[in-house]
Amino acid sequence: MKSRYKWLIPGAVLLTTLGMAGCDVEKTEEGEMPEVNVEGGKMPEYDVDTPDVDVGTKEKTVTVPDVDVDMPDDDEPDVGEPVEPNVQQTPPANQQN
């Protein structure tokens, strides 16, 4: 289960890096630390220029394969359905004393 998450942090870093590479961020004003008495402060202001992205659609014809499905007969079990074992019992042999 650990192997599922081993790409989580590198993937997040990659996505963040790619996201930051697409933006031009310039700090336009310095910020201030808030007072200790939790009365607020001043957040820095940023001017962010994002790239222009043109999104459009176009019609495309896709050829899909023809699939034939053979349905099982009623006496055949469905996939995942429990099957009772087909065990034939033979009558016990007559024992002679």
Side-chain angles (χ1 to χ4, degrees):
M1 196 167 194
K2 185 177 181 182
S3 65
R4 262 188 180 168
Y5 300 107
K6 72 178 182 181
W7 293 106
L8 183 64
I9 292 176
V13 169
L14 177 65
L15 288 176
T16 303
T17 303
L18 290 176
M20 293 299 288
C23 296
D24 181 21
V25 179
E26 295 178 22
K27 188 173 185 180
T28 58
E29 186 177 327
E30 291 292 321
E32 295 176 13
M33 293 295 293
E35 298 292 327
V36 177
N37 60 7
V38 192
E39 297 229 354
K42 186 173 181 182
M43 294 293 295
E45 293 182 13
Y46 292 93
D47 184 18
V48 178
D49 297 324
T50 60
D52 293 332
V53 178
D54 295 326
V55 178
T57 61
K58 66 179 177 179
E59 194 169 320
K60 185 150 185 148
T61 303
V62 178
T63 305
V64 294
D66 183 27
V67 179
D68 295 325
V69 177
D70 295 328
M71 298 299 292
D73 295 333
D74 287 338
D75 59 343
E76 294 181 20
D78 293 333
V79 175
E81 183 177 321
V83 179
E84 293 185 25
N86 187 9
V87 178
Q88 296 182 1
Q89 295 182 354
T90 56
N94 291 340
Q95 294 181 352
Q96 295 179 354
N97 291 341

